[in-house]
């Protein structure tokens, strides 16, 4: 692992953010590729993985984003937390706006429950867009953290950025499968189901590069940018991930998955950061 961290420290932070999110995209594709091997998806396993996703995102929001953002903010007391409050609020409202505008359908929901602007788009497109909505703040978070570490900001490190990419990659694996398998059951070919599954993470490298570039170009926005990514991720967890995991009778499994995801992400961030 030290070799990997040393390598990322030696390259341009924007390139590092790109490579890290290509890794997370790759794990999404790997998850989607399971559609070539299986015909059905075990619901208990899936709900557990959804819970795991939520745990990873919540832990990353605090350990990788909010805590460094507060630490690098100037001032003391209530003044010190202002950038985190502003950034967190803006991030949540940004995802709130996307959620209301972008047509999408959550996994495990019926077509009558699709959200966003009304369109005649097929279910495959709507499912892909729902997971894409998850992945925007994840890619942004990785990029912002690589940019913050490269700028030498206290509380941000390349190890922490690598840990965040690993954690996001782990929870992306079931997301790819979660899109591909329902589409396969609807009659799409294995290849089309796979392509829709992996395509949902294509936005992560784009968001990561934009995030890294923004904080390197406008360094004073760093505390706001880190908190912005955290607010966006928490919104996704509360509005989408947790409700999706509570649709069936496996709520306890989903809850324990959440606990496991939180522990894994916290351990990665503290151990590598």
């Amino acid at each position: 692992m030290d070799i990997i961290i040393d390598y990322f420290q030696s390259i341009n932070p924007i390139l590092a953010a790109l490579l890290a999110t290509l890794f997370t995209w790759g794990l999404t594709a790997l998850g989607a590729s399971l559609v070539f091997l299986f015909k059905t998806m075990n619901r208990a396993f899936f709900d557990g993985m959804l819970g795991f996703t939520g745990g990873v995102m919540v832990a990353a929001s605090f350990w990788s984003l909010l805590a460094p953002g507060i630490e690098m903010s100037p001032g003391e007391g209530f003044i010190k937390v202002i950038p985190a409050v502003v950034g967190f609020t803006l991030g949540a409202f940004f995802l709130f706006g996307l959620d209301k505008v972008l047509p999408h359908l959550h996994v495990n929901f019926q077509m009558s429950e699709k959200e966003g602007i009304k369109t005649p788009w097929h279910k495959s497109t709507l499912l892909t867009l729902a997971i894409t909505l998850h992945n925007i703040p994840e890619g942004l978070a990785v990029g912002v953290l690589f940019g913050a570490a490269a700028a030498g900001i206290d509380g941000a490190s390349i190890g922490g950025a690598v840990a965040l990419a690993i954690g996001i990659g782990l929870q992306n694996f079931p997301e790819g499968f979660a899109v591909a398998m329902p589409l396969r059951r609807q009659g799409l070919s294995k290849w089309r189901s796979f392509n829709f599954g992996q395509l949902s993470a294509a936005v992560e490298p784009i968001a990561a590069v934009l995030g890294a570039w923004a904080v390197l170009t406008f360094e004073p926005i760093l505390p706001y940018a880190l908190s912005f990514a955290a607010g966006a991720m928490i919104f996704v967890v509360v509005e989408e991930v947790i409700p999706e995991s509570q649709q069936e009778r496996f709520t306890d499994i989903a809850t324990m998955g959440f606990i496991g995801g939180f522990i894994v992400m916290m351990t990665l961030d503290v151990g590598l950061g």
Side-chain angles (χ1 to χ4, degrees):
M1 186 59 68
D2 288 341
I3 295 175
I4 295 175
I5 294 175
D6 289 342
Y7 172 73
F8 277 106
Q9 286 176 330
S10 68
I11 62 176
N12 182 283
I14 295 178
L15 176 60
L18 175 63
L19 293 177
T21 45
L22 287 175
F23 163 77
T24 62
W25 184 6
L27 283 184
T28 306
L30 188 62
S33 70
L34 293 179
V35 76
F36 295 108
L37 303 176
F38 301 99
K39 295 182 179 180
T40 60
M41 177 171 57
N42 182 283
R43 185 55 191 266
F45 172 79
F46 176 66
D47 284 347
M49 288 298 95
L50 274 178
F52 182 87
T53 293
V56 167
M57 294 177 74
V58 169
S61 296
F62 176 74
W63 295 97
S64 300
L65 300 170
L66 274 177
I70 293 172
E71 185 175 339
M72 68 180 64
S73 298
E76 298 293 337
F78 288 111
I79 300 298
K80 192 174 183 65
V81 80
I82 288 177
V85 171
V86 172
F88 192 90
T89 303
L90 291 176
F93 273 99
F94 173 72
L95 259 292
F96 175 79
L98 282 183
D99 184 70
K100 295 304 179 185
V101 173
L102 184 69
H104 62 284
L105 176 68
H106 301 308
V107 180
N108 300 327
F109 283 66
Q110 302 299 318
M111 278 295 285
S112 60
E113 299 175 278
K114 61 185 179 181
E115 300 179 16
I117 296 175
K118 302 300 181 183
T119 71
W121 293 351
H122 194 272
K123 187 175 183 179
S124 56
T125 302
L126 296 174
L127 283 171
T128 303
L129 289 174
I131 302 298
T132 300
L133 198 63
H134 293 195
N135 290 332
I136 291 173
E138 294 170 5
L140 181 65
V142 172
V144 168
L145 199 53
F146 269 109
I153 302 299
D154 290 339
S157 69
I158 294 295
V162 170
L164 179 60
I166 293 173
I168 288 175
L170 288 175
Q171 56 96 23
N172 274 7
F173 180 83
E175 285 187 353
F177 189 48
V179 176
M181 184 53 65
L183 300 181
R184 178 59 180 156
R185 289 203 306 268
Q186 290 177 24
L188 270 68
S189 69
K190 292 180 180 179
W191 274 107
R192 287 199 68 193
S193 300
F194 166 76
N195 283 330
F196 275 111
Q198 62 84 25
L199 188 62
S200 63
V203 70
E204 285 190 357
I206 299 171
V209 167
L210 289 175
W213 172 82
V215 298
L216 288 170
T217 305
F218 309 103
E219 190 173 317
I221 72 169
L222 265 171
Y224 298 92
L226 288 166
S227 303
F228 181 96
M233 290 177 71
I234 292 296
F235 179 89
V236 167
V237 172
V238 176
E239 204 276 337
E240 298 179 12
V241 176
I242 291 177
E244 287 175 29
S245 73
Q246 304 293 311
Q247 289 292 301
E248 295 290 340
R249 64 185 186 277
F250 304 110
T251 55
D252 289 342
I253 294 176
T255 301
M256 296 312 297
F258 182 97
I259 299 299
F262 190 98
I263 290 172
V264 167
M265 187 64 239
M266 177 177 64
T267 303
L268 282 171
D269 191 82
V270 175
L272 296 178

